[in-house]
Amino acid sequence: MLRLQKGSVFQQSAFRALAKVSRETQSPIRSLLCARGVSTTALARQQAQRFQQWIDNNTGKLNTQGLEAKWKERWAELRPAWDTKIDALSPEEVERLFYVLVMFPYPSGALHMGHVRVYTISDMLARFQRMRGRKVVHPMGWDAFGLPAENAAIERGVAPGTWTRENIVAMKKQLMDILADFDWEREVSTCDADYYRWTQHLFLQLMRHDMIYRAEAEVNWDPVDQTVLANEQVDAQGRSWRSGAAVEKRRLKQWFARITAYADDLLKDLDQLQWPTHVKTMQSNWIGRSEGVELKFALEGDDITVFTTRADTVFGASYVAVAYDHPLIGEDRLPKDRVDEVMHAARKMKAGSSAGADLTYGAFTGLYAAHPLDPARHVPVWVASYVVPGYGTGAVMGVPAHDTRDRDFCASNGIPAAQAVVADAADDSNAGFRTEPGTLLNAEVNGRFGGMTSADAIQAIAKEAETAGRGRTVVKYRLRDWLLSRQRYWGAPVPVIHCPSCGVVPVPESELPVKLPENIMLSGRGGSPLANAEDWVNCKCPKCAGSARRDTDTLDTFVDSSWYFLRYLDAQNTQRPFDAALATAAMPVDVYVGGVEHAILHLLYARFISKFLWKTGAYGSKQLADSETRNGKSAILEAVRKREKGAPGGEPFKRLLTQGMVHGLTYKDPKTGRFLRPEEVDLTGIHPTVRATGERPATSYEKMSKSKYNGVDPTMAVASYGADATRLHMLYLAPPQDVLEWDTQSIVGMQRWINRLGRLVDAACDVPQAGTFDDALSMRAQWSREARETYRQTNVAIQRVTEALDSSFAFNTAIASLIELCNYLLTVADRSHPTYAHALLALIRMVSPMAPSVGEELWETAANNKHLSRCLASPASAKTVFSANWPALDKTALKPAAATVVVQINGKVRYKLEDMDTDLDQAALTEAAKSHPNAAKWLNDPVSGSPKAIVKVICVPNKIINLIVK
């Protein structure tokens, strides 16, 4: 193709010639563009634009850096005009808003391929919904508090805030490099005082509603460094990651949130959420609702209360087991001859030693407790390692004939085991170990309950225990209250003051935020760093103005991430965490995208906080309903309730999309199993070999990590292959919920497909169109078979891609459909028919959310072409493909224009009817089958040649016709 140098005499002559032709023909495209103020010279320049200009003629490689730079600059110009601001609360605004939320990252300094995957998905969904006419909210921020920043400060001698903010700058650039389009005007960082001021406000709101309390709880204690350790700072051997000391368990005063008060709501509302089943199951199991019976085993002057879901087995109880922190385990409560051994065992359990970790480890307390329904019978009381401290009543009954754990504990400690009390039948003389419910044996030990089914016996036993004052029916949850406090520096300070006279005093709202002190020396030793900042700790009591001290704990980072999606909606508000009307308009989140590793705690805490705020009137239909009658907002209230449908009672996330991990190709030494560095593997041959030995290494895909040398730097991937190809490859390799095995070799296929798309559009630019698509649609009955098939293929792709991006999230099949449409268009003979341009423009629009800069360039090439631009719906859409409407689906076009029908004779395939009209009925197909050249062989008598009698016809339209003959 002849290339004219910009500004050359030849180029100017070409432009003049094109302008002359345009004036003479008065083409519609010239009139359209001139009406927009485009000069004739500019018109000629636009008509000459081709995608090919970005492809190197020698190497065939796309100039991805130049293309991406062009569109990043263009988007920066267009972004302010894009409608992302939430207007005043109205029914129309509520209906139009679409909130795409992606889990915000910890600013570690560099994106990994897992980040690329999740942000590609959310960006694609946001762009797709914007093209569908929705006002999209797609924000980004930083989960910036946490332990890694403290560790970095200790190791590198840099302040956590400095390290964190430098990382944010670097990661923000990386997000832009993968072409992710976020609402940066909504950006938040949890370590900024403007944010954690409102995190502290949230803590105080919980406190005012009696949802916060302080109690002792166990922590990991490093006896050498004299500091509290997070669970991740304790290695598999129970030693401190820094000092190497054996970690101890200590009890410290901690802050808790009463999340258990919301346990029922958190459980029952799961059913209505459009979440993956396995995630809902994980949440349900974590909450762990159990209906059972509390029974009281009596001690002298006291009771041991146990909870059981199998009260039918109570007569088989052989012992009672308590946790090491139970009130009974103390020198003043134990028999003197048992104190030393029991307290020694309790210390081992508390320290988490190997003995304490053994679930069969325990010690006899020397105490006996009376059976709740048979006071004359006494069972021994043991302290047992398997009883979880600080959970429930801290005591369980041991029934070795009906529980595996209890059986093992009895066997290990020589406790006489009671006989079985439940069997298949009431008179089973061979009853033995059994864990399932059944029928209570007609044995003396079961008394009047013998012969009852387990279900009936549980109710009857509970009723009798309650009448005797020895028990009651209760509902228990596995869920524990949320421990909020951390003994670290880099977090939001707990907004509480401790006064010798007034006790615990909340910091007044007017004094928020309680800012972190600067210039703190972090060593990882000596307890909470804040406790050593005397100038910061010492303060005045807000109540009595006397000397007091600030709380030196910081809040769990899960508190920061439990409400960030609400702050996004009003990130610049200095008067409140968020405006109620804005949150009411946008919540719940329409689609939440993130890793399945956060399926339990983060989601649970976010649900709890959102429900708390909704119930207390901070936002939502409840808040609106309280003011509806006096403000006359019934239409708005109806719209809000419609939006909340499927996410009841303040549920924050309507739909959840959890993406799987990204695994990298890993090489191991075939003999030693040692992970091989990239430079140790020769990849130049047909098979990889170990350079040192020439042997073939063991290969596998494993989770990316530095120690396995299998990580892929996203920056390098984008630089090598381009952001668009990287995104397409990431979406195409696997369904989003599955593990993705990253393969850099197959990404070349995506690069080639992008080039093929470019050639397809460029070629179409040279083909005059026979009218507009709208005009052609009115004459649909006159279309050729090829035109009808082109229109059908286009609508099939529209249907599949739309469904994938809107509901099924099968992004790999969406790309497969686009490739299929592209390949079909390459085979079309008549490219002047408007159905071809319509298909091509639909293809460009559908690929654009996945490959934004390529989509934009293809769209601009088409929009600036005198032929293809005739099919544009509006001139405004020429500025950016993301201002264009998503292709509309015509369901009437989905039926194939022609079909291949298999002909069976007496159930056996004999021949096929090719290229059959899809509107043919059974009678017409029967005649076609009889008229086929091969018909005589099967439908005529081989001797006489006369036709056989067709006694029955079985027809599956457009697929099979089966002729039954005699």
Side-chain angles (χ1 to χ4, degrees):
M1 183 175 68
L2 177 65
R3 291 183 179 272
L4 300 180
Q5 183 179 352
K6 185 176 181 181
S8 69
V9 174
F10 296 105
Q11 188 192 53
Q12 292 171 14
S13 299
F15 286 165
R16 283 195 295 272
L18 286 169
K20 182 175 183 296
V21 172
S22 182
R23 283 195 302 274
E24 291 173 351
T25 60
Q26 289 295 307
S27 68
I29 183 64
R30 178 181 180 277
S31 302
L32 175 64
L33 291 174
C34 287
R36 287 189 245 159
V38 180
S39 68
T40 305
T41 304
L43 170 61
R45 185 184 303 115
Q46 290 169 341
Q47 287 175 331
Q49 179 178 339
R50 294 291 186 271
F51 189 81
Q52 181 65 33
Q53 67 185 315
W54 296 102
I55 301 176
D56 188 288
N57 286 333
N58 296 319
T59 64
K61 289 186 176 180
L62 185 69
N63 178 8
T64 57
Q65 293 185 357
L67 182 62
E68 291 163 14
K70 169 187 173 178
W71 285 104
K72 281 191 274 190
E73 183 178 350
R74 184 79 61 84
W75 290 329
E77 297 170 0
L78 293 171
R79 195 72 173 81
W82 290 2
D83 191 11
T84 61
K85 183 181 178 183
I86 304 174
D87 298 326
L89 186 60
S90 68
E92 297 75 22
E93 188 76 351
V94 172
E95 185 174 350
R96 190 179 169 210
L97 278 169
F98 196 92
Y99 193 171
V100 180
L101 179 69
V102 62
M103 293 182 184
F104 62 172
Y106 180 80
S108 59
L111 295 182
H112 53 68
M113 294 307 287
H115 286 130
V116 175
R117 189 181 195 190
V118 69
Y119 301 134
T120 294
I121 290 172
S122 78
D123 182 65
M124 175 186 61
L125 295 178
R127 292 178 185 272
F128 163 68
Q129 292 294 343
R130 185 175 289 121
M131 294 176 76
R132 297 185 84 192
R134 306 296 292 271
K135 181 182 283 191
V136 175
V137 177
H138 185 221
M140 174 50 71
W142 311 96
D143 193 8
F145 273 139
L147 192 59
E150 280 195 41
N151 294 337
I154 295 167
E155 294 168 5
R156 305 175 193 187
V158 60
T162 302
W163 184 80
T164 299
R165 290 180 178 90
E166 288 176 353
N167 290 347
I168 287 174
V169 172
M171 292 180 70
K172 190 170 181 179
K173 180 183 181 303
Q174 289 179 305
L175 286 172
M176 293 178 176
D177 285 345
I178 64 170
L179 308 181
D181 177 41
F182 291 109
D183 304 342
W184 289 111
E185 66 274 12
R186 301 184 186 279
E187 182 181 11
V188 300
S189 178
T190 60
C191 69
D192 288 345
D194 289 343
Y195 183 90
Y196 70 74
R197 166 191 181 180
W198 301 113
T199 303
Q200 293 170 337
H201 164 84
L202 175 61
F203 179 91
L204 296 179
Q205 289 297 108
L206 289 164
M207 209 171 190
R208 289 189 185 99
H209 286 83
D210 194 30
M211 295 296 291
I212 296 288
Y213 66 94
R214 203 166 182 234
E216 280 195 348
E218 268 190 0
V219 296
N220 300 313
W221 181 258
D222 184 327
V224 174
D225 286 347
Q226 296 287 296
T227 190
V228 173
L229 302 175
N231 288 334
E232 56 267 31
Q233 292 177 306
V234 182
D235 66 20
Q237 287 71 46
R239 295 187 174 276
S240 168
W241 72 304
R242 187 181 303 281
S243 70
V247 174
E248 300 174 356
K249 298 290 186 181
R250 285 201 177 181
R251 297 187 71 79
L252 295 180
K253 284 274 191 178
Q254 306 272 40
W255 292 101
F256 290 85
R258 299 185 197 276
I259 189 173
T260 50
Y262 281 66
D264 228 19
D265 287 345
L266 290 168
L267 188 62
K268 68 179 178 63
D269 290 344
L270 275 174
D271 291 339
Q272 297 189 48
L273 301 178
Q274 298 177 59
W275 287 17
T277 301
H278 69 280
V279 175
K280 292 201 284 188
T281 300
M282 291 163 72
Q283 289 256 314
S284 178
N285 291 342
W286 190 265
I287 296 167
R289 187 180 190 275
S290 299
E291 294 184 9
V293 181
E294 278 188 353
L295 297 168
K296 296 179 181 179
F297 286 77
L299 284 171
E300 187 176 340
D302 205 350
D303 287 324
I304 302 176
T305 302
V306 304
F307 171 79
T308 179
T309 58
R310 292 293 307 277
D312 57 318
T313 66
V314 67
F315 296 106
S318 298
Y319 65 96
V320 170
V322 298
Y324 66 78
D325 64 346
H326 194 277
L328 283 178
I329 309 305
E331 295 184 6
D332 58 333
R333 301 296 302 275
L334 296 167
K336 290 184 179 180
D337 62 336
R338 300 299 303 159
V339 168
D340 290 344
E341 183 179 340
V342 173
M343 298 308 295
H344 176 71
R347 284 191 293 270
K348 279 189 173 184
M349 296 174 195
K350 184 176 182 180
S353 66
S354 57
D358 178 4
L359 296 183
T360 64
Y361 179 67
F364 175 46
T365 64
L367 300 171
Y368 288 86
H371 193 281
L373 298 181
D374 186 3
R377 180 182 164 201
H378 291 74
V379 295
V381 179
W382 283 69
V383 59
S385 59
Y386 72 79
V387 185
V388 181
Y391 178 65
T393 65
V396 298
M397 65 179 189
V399 187
H402 302 293
D403 186 278
T404 304
R405 180 195 57 192
D406 297 349
R407 180 188 63 184
D408 294 344
F409 188 82
C410 274
S412 180
N413 293 284
I415 303 172
Q419 68 185 64
V421 293
V422 177
D424 274 330
D427 298 318
D428 188 348
S429 59
N430 297 313
F433 180 76
R434 176 192 180 91
T435 58
E436 301 84 6
T439 302
L440 271 66
L441 290 168
N442 284 321
E444 183 179 351
V445 67
N446 282 330
R448 70 179 187 85
F449 304 102
M452 290 186 180
T453 64
S454 288
D456 291 341
I458 288 171
Q459 293 185 10
I461 288 169
K463 185 175 181 180
E464 181 160 318
E466 191 161 1
T467 301
R470 306 308 301 163
R472 59 176 183 147
T473 301
V474 294
V475 173
K476 291 281 187 178
Y477 294 92
R478 179 178 178 271
L479 178 68
R480 304 191 209 183
D481 281 337
W482 179 8
L483 196 161
L484 299 176
S485 47
R486 299 292 184 268
Q487 292 70 45
R488 294 195 283 274
Y489 167 74
W490 193 235
V494 174
V496 162
I497 290 170
H498 300 275
C499 175
S501 302
C502 306
V504 173
V505 181
V507 172
E509 291 276 353
S510 59
E511 295 181 14
L512 296 181
V514 178
K515 292 188 176 181
L516 283 169
E518 298 180 359
N519 303 318
I520 294 292
M521 292 299 295
L522 301 177
S523 65
R525 297 175 173 84
S528 170
L530 293 179
N532 300 321
E534 290 296 327
D535 291 344
W536 180 84
V537 171
N538 295 316
C539 62
K540 296 293 183 182
C541 173
K543 278 190 176 180
C544 69
S547 296
R549 290 177 64 84
R550 295 191 185 280
D551 196 291
T552 58
D553 285 353
T554 53
L555 293 172
D556 178 14
T557 55
F558 276 128
V559 182
D560 307 319
S561 60
S562 69
W563 74 283
Y564 75 107
F565 45 89
L566 290 162
R567 182 63 177 174
Y568 276 151
L569 302 174
D570 199 12
Q572 311 307 320
N573 197 327
T574 60
Q575 303 302 311
R576 54 180 67 91
F578 52 86
D579 183 82
L582 297 182
T584 299
M587 291 294 290
V589 170
D590 290 281
V591 181
Y592 193 19
V593 186
V596 72
E597 63 271 21
H598 301 296
I600 297 180
L601 293 181
H602 162 63
L603 291 176
L604 190 68
Y605 295 148
R607 294 178 63 214
F608 163 57
I609 291 299
S610 181
K611 284 178 173 293
F612 166 77
L613 291 169
W614 188 88
K615 279 192 173 184
T616 54
Y619 80 96
S621 59
K622 186 178 186 301
Q623 180 268 341
L624 199 60
D626 292 341
S627 60
E628 185 268 324
T629 51
R630 63 174 184 270
N631 293 330
K633 296 180 179 178
S634 56
I636 298 174
L637 179 59
E638 183 179 347
V640 170
R641 284 175 172 163
K642 182 179 179 182
R643 180 172 180 83
E644 291 179 350
K645 188 177 181 181
E651 284 289 345
F653 314 124
K654 188 179 293 185
R655 296 195 67 185
L656 178 69
L657 171 56
T658 55
Q659 95 287 350
M661 292 183 178
V662 179
H663 286 189
L665 186 57
T666 309
Y667 298 100
K668 297 179 186 177
D669 186 290
K671 293 180 179 177
T672 67
R674 178 178 66 86
F675 291 107
L676 299 174
R677 294 180 173 85
E679 60 270 19
E680 295 181 279
V681 183
D682 184 358
L683 299 175
T684 58
I686 299 176
H687 301 290
T689 57
V690 181
R691 291 185 186 276
T693 64
E695 296 177 297
R696 289 179 63 175
T699 59
S700 61
Y701 281 93
E702 299 185 23
K703 181 180 177 182
M704 291 185 179
S705 71
K706 292 179 181 179
S707 63
K708 296 176 182 177
Y709 311 108
N710 66 346
V712 176
D713 182 356
T715 303
M716 295 299 294
V718 169
S720 300
Y721 311 110
D724 292 293
T726 300
R727 287 165 61 115
L728 285 167
H729 189 55
M730 187 74 76
L731 294 167
Y732 186 62
L733 278 179
Q737 68 275 12
D738 291 355
V739 168
L740 186 151
E741 297 179 345
W742 181 258
D743 179 9
T744 55
Q745 293 181 339
S746 59
I747 197 173
V748 175
M750 282 302 162
Q751 291 179 301
R752 290 172 180 162
W753 183 57
I754 288 172
N755 289 358
R756 193 156 66 247
L757 280 172
R759 289 194 298 271
L760 194 66
V761 173
D762 284 352
C765 287
D766 298 325
V767 180
Q769 296 295 298
T772 68
F773 177 72
D774 287 341
D775 291 340
L777 198 60
S778 64
M779 298 182 290
R780 186 170 167 183
Q782 302 172 27
W783 286 0
S784 66
R785 177 167 289 178
E786 183 183 64
R788 293 202 305 272
E789 180 61 13
T790 299
Y791 191 52
R792 187 191 75 83
Q793 292 271 4
T794 304
N795 280 281
V796 167
I798 292 171
Q799 183 184 52
R800 290 175 180 172
V801 176
T802 303
E803 180 182 323
L805 271 59
D806 187 50
S807 56
S808 71
F809 298 145
F811 309 133
N812 54 328
T813 62
I815 295 176
S817 297
L818 295 177
I819 294 173
E820 185 178 335
L821 177 60
C822 175
N823 291 340
Y824 169 79
L825 292 178
L826 288 169
T827 68
V828 173
D830 181 9
R831 301 187 181 186
S832 66
H833 195 280
T835 52
Y836 184 84
H838 170 74
L840 196 58
L841 293 173
L843 174 60
I844 295 171
R845 279 176 284 174
M846 289 189 286
V847 81
S848 294
M850 306 168 193
S853 69
V854 165
E856 287 278 34
E857 189 64 25
L858 293 172
W859 186 254
E860 186 178 68
T861 299
N864 290 338
N865 176 260
K866 65 179 181 180
H867 303 309
L868 293 178
S869 60
R870 298 185 69 183
C871 288
L872 291 182
S874 67
S877 67
K879 294 180 181 178
T880 169
V881 68
F882 299 110
S883 293
N885 292 328
W886 186 256
L889 174 65
D890 183 353
K891 291 185 178 180
T892 64
L894 295 175
K895 189 171 69 171
T900 297
V901 179
V902 173
V903 179
Q904 294 181 341
I905 308 298
N906 291 338
K908 293 185 178 181
V909 175
R910 297 307 185 187
Y911 51 92
K912 295 178 181 179
L913 303 176
E914 302 285 356
D915 207 24
M916 301 302 294
D917 194 310
T918 56
D919 292 326
L920 295 179
D921 58 14
Q922 179 174 305
L925 281 174
T926 301
E927 286 304 313
K930 290 163 64 178
S931 304
H932 192 274
N934 293 339
K937 179 180 179 181
W938 305 105
L939 295 179
N940 293 349
D941 185 274
V943 177
S944 66
S946 59
K948 296 178 181 179
I950 299 174
V951 297
K952 186 176 182 182
V953 177
I954 302 170
C955 182
V956 179
N958 300 320
K959 290 185 178 181
I960 297 173
I961 184 165
N962 185 11
L963 306 180
I964 309 300
V965 300
K966 277 189 177 181

